[in-house]
Amino acid sequence: MEISIITASAVLGLLVGSFLNVVIFRLPKMMQSTWKRDCCELLEIEHDTPPRYNLVVPNSTCPHCGHKIKPWENIPVLSYLFLRGRCSNCSERISPRYPAVELASGLLCGFIAFQLGANIQMALVLVLTWCLIALTMIDIDHQLLPDNITLPLLWLGLLANSRGIFAPLEDAVLGAVAGYLVLWVVYWLFKLLTGKEGMGYGDFKLLAALGAWLGWQSLPVIIIMSSLVGAVIGIAGILIMGRDKNIPIPFGPYLAIAGWITLMWGDKITGMYFRFVGL
C-alpha cells in the first residue's frame, strides 16, 4: 500500500508538473494583459479586445512554428525523451526546463508521500509544493510573485490550521502577520537608507503565507536560511559568472525553498542549532 501511494503521488506530481509549466508561462502574460487593459480604461484609451487567453485556451503550441502539441507529445518527461528534446514539426529545441519542472514535481510529491503517508496533511503539502514550484519559476522569469497564488496560499494555510494540522491557529495568525511585517520593515529601512527598493511586496505576502502554514516560530529559520542561500548564490554569481551586481536577484525562490525545507525538517534544524550553541 505504501509503495502504491508513493507511486501514485509521483505520477500525480508529474501530471501536475506539466500543468505547472502552463501556469508558469501563461499566468504572467495573463496578468500583463489585464494590466494593459486596466491602464487603457483608466486613461480612456481605445484598445482592441485580445483573443481569449487563459490557462486552458488556446491549446499549447510550439513557440517557434506554432505546431499544436498533440496529446502524445505532452506526456510528462517521456514525450521529451521520445522527441529527443525537439519539436516534431520544425525540429527546434524544446527547453529542458519543461521536463525538469515535471520531474521535480514528481520526485517531490513521491518524497512527500514517503515521508507523510496518505492523509490530509500529505494532500495539503502537495498543494503547497506545487504553488511554491510555480512561484519560484515565475519569480525567476519575471521577478513577480502573483497574488493569484500567494493570497489563496495564505488563506489555505490559515484554514488548515483552524484544525491545527501544522500549527495552532493562534500561531498561524501571528505567523501570517509577523511574516508580512518583518519584510515590510526591512523593505522600508533599506529604502530610507539607500533610496532603492530591496524587494517587492510579493515577498512579504509569500513569507506571510509560509507563516500562516508553519506558525510564527518557523519564521526565523526561514528568514535566516533564505538570506544565507540568497547571499551565497548572489555573491557566487557576481564573482564566478560575472553577473552585473546592479541586476536585481529575485528573493522569492529562496523563501520558497527555505519554507519547504522548514516544513519537512524544521524541528530537526532547530534542534541541531540549539545543540550547536549549547542550549
Side-chain angles (χ1 to χ4, degrees):
M1 181 64 69
E2 182 176 328
I3 294 175
S4 299
I5 293 170
I6 294 171
T7 302
S9 298
V11 172
L12 177 63
L14 290 170
L15 295 173
V16 174
S18 181
F19 176 70
L20 290 180
N21 280 319
V22 177
V23 174
I24 293 164
F25 181 78
R26 294 193 181 190
L27 183 56
K29 292 182 179 293
M30 293 162 55
M31 296 173 65
Q32 292 165 6
S33 177
T34 301
W35 296 336
K36 183 178 180 180
R37 183 198 63 201
D38 292 346
C39 289
C40 289
E41 291 178 355
L42 179 64
L43 298 173
E44 299 181 350
I45 299 174
E46 292 186 3
H47 62 284
D48 297 329
T49 302
R52 186 181 177 192
Y53 188 86
N54 52 45
L55 298 179
V56 179
V57 178
N59 294 331
S60 298
T61 60
C62 171
H64 302 286
C65 67
H67 167 68
K68 291 185 178 180
I69 306 299
K70 303 292 190 301
W72 56 86
E73 296 175 337
N74 207 25
I75 301 172
V77 181
L78 295 179
S79 290
Y80 181 85
L81 297 175
F82 178 76
L83 295 170
R84 297 182 180 179
R86 295 184 179 274
C87 171
S88 62
N89 185 63
C90 66
S91 298
E92 287 288 339
R93 284 194 173 277
I94 301 171
S95 173
R97 199 176 79 171
Y98 295 118
V101 169
E102 296 165 351
L103 189 60
S105 177
L107 291 175
L108 289 175
C109 290
F111 177 77
I112 290 167
F114 172 74
Q115 287 286 101
L116 303 179
N119 50 46
I120 184 63
Q121 190 178 49
M122 184 198 82
L124 289 169
V125 174
L126 290 180
V127 174
L128 174 62
T129 301
W130 294 327
C131 291
L132 293 180
I133 291 173
L135 288 170
T136 294
M137 301 309 298
I138 291 173
D139 203 22
I140 290 174
D141 289 342
H142 303 278
Q143 295 183 9
L144 178 70
L145 294 170
D147 289 351
N148 311 56
I149 301 177
T150 55
L151 296 185
L153 199 61
L154 187 153
W155 292 114
L156 181 59
L158 292 177
L159 182 62
N161 286 326
S162 66
R163 303 297 298 271
I165 294 177
F166 299 99
L169 181 58
E170 182 179 353
D171 291 348
V173 173
L174 290 175
V177 174
Y180 189 94
L181 289 180
V182 165
L183 293 187
W184 182 84
V185 170
V186 172
Y187 168 88
W188 280 106
L189 287 175
F190 185 82
K191 189 171 184 179
L192 289 173
L193 292 173
T194 66
K196 301 178 180 179
E197 296 183 354
M199 62 182 66
Y201 278 64
D203 297 315
F204 313 166
K205 298 169 189 175
L206 176 55
L207 187 58
L210 293 173
W213 278 75
L214 305 178
W216 65 268
Q217 298 91 338
S218 66
L219 294 177
V221 177
I222 295 173
I223 293 171
I224 293 172
M225 191 183 306
S226 59
S227 299
L228 288 176
V229 174
V232 170
I233 293 178
I235 293 172
I238 294 172
L239 297 179
I240 299 174
M241 302 178 63
R243 179 186 175 94
D244 187 347
K245 63 181 180 180
N246 294 317
I247 297 177
I249 299 174
F251 191 51
Y254 308 127
L255 283 175
I257 294 170
W260 194 87
I261 292 174
T262 302
L263 172 65
M264 302 304 296
W265 299 291
D267 293 339
K268 293 181 180 180
I269 294 172
T270 304
M272 289 172 59
Y273 171 75
F274 285 152
R275 287 194 296 270
F276 178 76
V277 297
L279 296 178

